Amino acid sequence: MTKITVVIPCFNEEDALMIYYWEMEKVMEEMKEAEFELLFVDDGSADHSLAIMKKLHEKDKRCRYLSFSRNFGKEAAIYAGLKNAKGDYVAVMDVDLQDPPALLPKMYRILQEEDFDNVATKRADRAGEPRIRSFLSESFYKFINKISGTEIVDGARDYRLMRRKMVDAVLEMSEYNRFSKGIFEWVGFRTKWLEFDHVDRSAGKTKWSVGKLFRYSLEGITGFSVAPLSLAAVIGVLFCMLSFIMILVIIMRTAIWGDPVAGWPSLVCIIFLVSGIQLFCTGIVGQYLSKTYLETKHRPIFILRESSEEGEQ
Ligand code: UDP
Ligand code: MG
């Protein structure tokens, strides 16, 4: 019998966990042809999420859990889940029902009947999201797709069902700075996209702040494009050409009209502008350097505190 593992990252989700399980029970009932494994990843929750996972494991052996020593972020939770998944097919799904479990049978059927390696999902539109957030997200996707060779699909969710081959490929990418939307695209394979309408959170609240989203978008840019690095070189060349023209103009002006002492304000403006641009470019280099620095340390992506396999330690 084919086995499907569902990886479910959870961070302070005590309110959503049971609702999710009840919903998945229906789906598992519907998909009798497959064996299920629900792999909950407790990403260092401070509430009762882990206790609920343990209870679920007691009650239903299809439920397993991994628990981190602290909060490592959703990307780390996805990686840990994929690494510990035993299924021939692996799905990644949010616990808050914003990734509708009811879509899973359809996704599975597509992989059975058609020649695809994974079925991915994206939001049909950005309804139910603050205007400013939509605007920032859309600008981000436009920007990153201009400068990156890897296509990052606008509105793509992490919710997808993959064949084992693809899961193994994703696991090969053991980088520390993880950006799943890019990684799933980078490994290639044949993807079928499904669209669905936005669903509100079942319970609890979102774990994303504007700051967190901003850092996440930087992760995407530095992880999947090196174009910003060449920006410094391009600006440098432009400024060299500009200064060459300015030197010529000043020499000619002095030769024709003499040399009255003037131009102090413009000089100050130029110094400010140029040093600003220089610092900006150094900052870009710094971003890449810091990512490289973390990468060379080879720190583990996650650390387990306990799991359903070992029991309590
Ligand atoms: N999540 C996680 N670690 C984090 C933040 C979030 O494992 O540091 C999980 C969270 O429990 C949820 C999923 O990632 O299952 C998506 O998070 P959320 O619903 O807050 O994001 P949104 O849907 O608002 O983008
Ligand atoms: Mg959500």
Side-chain angles (χ1 to χ4, degrees):
M1 202 145 123
T2 45
K3 189 167 193 163
I4 303 176
T5 303
V6 185
V7 172
I8 311 129
C10 305
F11 178 47
N12 293 338
E13 300 282 9
E14 57 183 5
D15 298 326
L17 265 160
M18 282 316 287
I19 305 175
Y20 175 80
Y21 177 72
W22 292 324
E23 205 58 38
M24 268 316 282
E25 254 186 334
K26 287 184 221 157
V27 173
M28 292 191 287
E29 191 61 33
E30 188 186 330
M31 295 174 72
K32 279 229 158 57
E33 70 274 22
E35 192 186 333
F36 270 90
E37 173 184 61
L38 302 186
L39 183 51
F40 294 95
V41 185
D42 166 34
D43 185 12
S45 302
D47 63 0
H48 298 108
S49 299
L50 181 59
I52 298 171
M53 290 176 197
K54 283 183 181 166
K55 232 185 278 161
L56 281 173
H57 175 65
E58 287 289 301
K59 182 175 149 243
D60 182 347
K61 286 292 173 244
R62 290 175 297 184
C63 298
R64 294 169 61 205
Y65 62 84
L66 305 168
S67 180
F68 288 178
S69 58
R70 63 168 170 85
N71 178 244
F72 279 85
K74 186 183 177 187
E75 292 293 334
I78 293 178
Y79 181 76
L82 294 182
K83 204 162 180 177
N84 286 278
K86 296 183 181 142
D88 311 297
Y89 294 84
V90 183
V92 177
M93 210 190 288
D94 285 1
V95 74
D96 57 11
L97 296 185
Q98 287 190 305
D99 296 336
L103 220 56
L104 198 63
K106 184 174 173 194
M107 292 159 85
Y108 182 62
R109 219 174 321 117
I110 289 173
L111 289 188
Q112 296 295 296
E113 290 165 5
E114 294 173 49
D115 191 20
F116 287 105
D117 301 299
N118 74 118
V119 182
T121 59
K122 61 179 173 183
R123 293 176 59 159
D125 55 39
R126 292 195 167 272
E129 201 182 63
R131 278 279 261 291
I132 177 85
R133 190 173 154 174
S134 300
F135 172 75
L136 290 176
S137 306
E138 273 162 21
S139 317
F140 165 71
Y141 283 108
K142 265 191 209 134
F143 178 67
I144 195 168
N145 280 319
K146 277 232 169 70
I147 63 170
S148 168
T150 308
E151 197 200 348
I152 315 287
V153 178
D154 188 2
R157 299 201 49 97
D158 291 329
Y159 184 24
R160 60 172 78 211
L161 180 68
M162 296 172 270
R163 282 186 206 278
R164 174 53 40 191
K165 265 230 166 82
M166 178 159 172
V167 176
D168 290 340
V170 170
L171 287 173
E172 288 264 316
M173 299 184 69
S174 55
E175 57 214 66
Y176 181 78
N177 300 290
R178 303 187 71 76
F179 183 71
S180 281
K181 288 182 184 23
I183 291 175
F184 289 141
E185 285 308 311
W186 195 92
V187 295
F189 292 100
R190 311 184 93 213
T191 307
K192 165 106 179 173
W193 286 96
L194 294 183
E195 284 193 5
F196 65 85
D197 288 330
H198 174 73
V199 193
D200 279 330
R201 225 174 196 282
S202 60
K205 43 181 195 293
T206 177
K207 308 295 178 296
W208 290 96
S209 60
V210 175
K212 234 175 159 182
L213 276 174
F214 181 70
R215 259 170 292 160
Y216 186 63
S217 60
L218 279 187
E219 204 77 70
I221 292 170
T222 52
F224 286 90
S225 171
V226 288
L229 277 177
S230 26
L231 192 69
V234 173
I235 296 180
V237 170
L238 284 180
F239 266 70
C240 282
M241 293 196 305
L242 192 69
S243 59
F244 188 68
I245 296 170
M246 273 164 70
I247 289 169
L248 283 182
V249 169
I250 289 169
I251 288 176
M252 279 181 358
R253 208 176 59 179
T254 317
I256 298 169
W257 287 291
D259 186 27
V261 179
W264 187 84
S266 54
L267 192 65
V268 169
C269 290
I270 290 169
I271 290 175
F272 268 103
L273 175 71
V274 173
S275 46
I277 290 172
Q278 276 176 348
L279 281 179
F280 176 64
C281 292
T282 315
I284 292 177
V285 177
Q287 275 296 321
Y288 282 88
L289 185 65
S290 68
K291 300 286 172 202
T292 317
Y293 174 62
L294 287 176
E295 217 62 73
T296 52
K297 286 190 181 211
H298 295 296
R299 284 183 178 165
I301 296 169
F302 63 92
I303 295 172
L304 282 187
R305 183 168 169 273
E306 58 180 284
S307 73
S308 50
E309 257 70 337
E310 312 149 33
E312 285 191 44
Q313 279 187 341

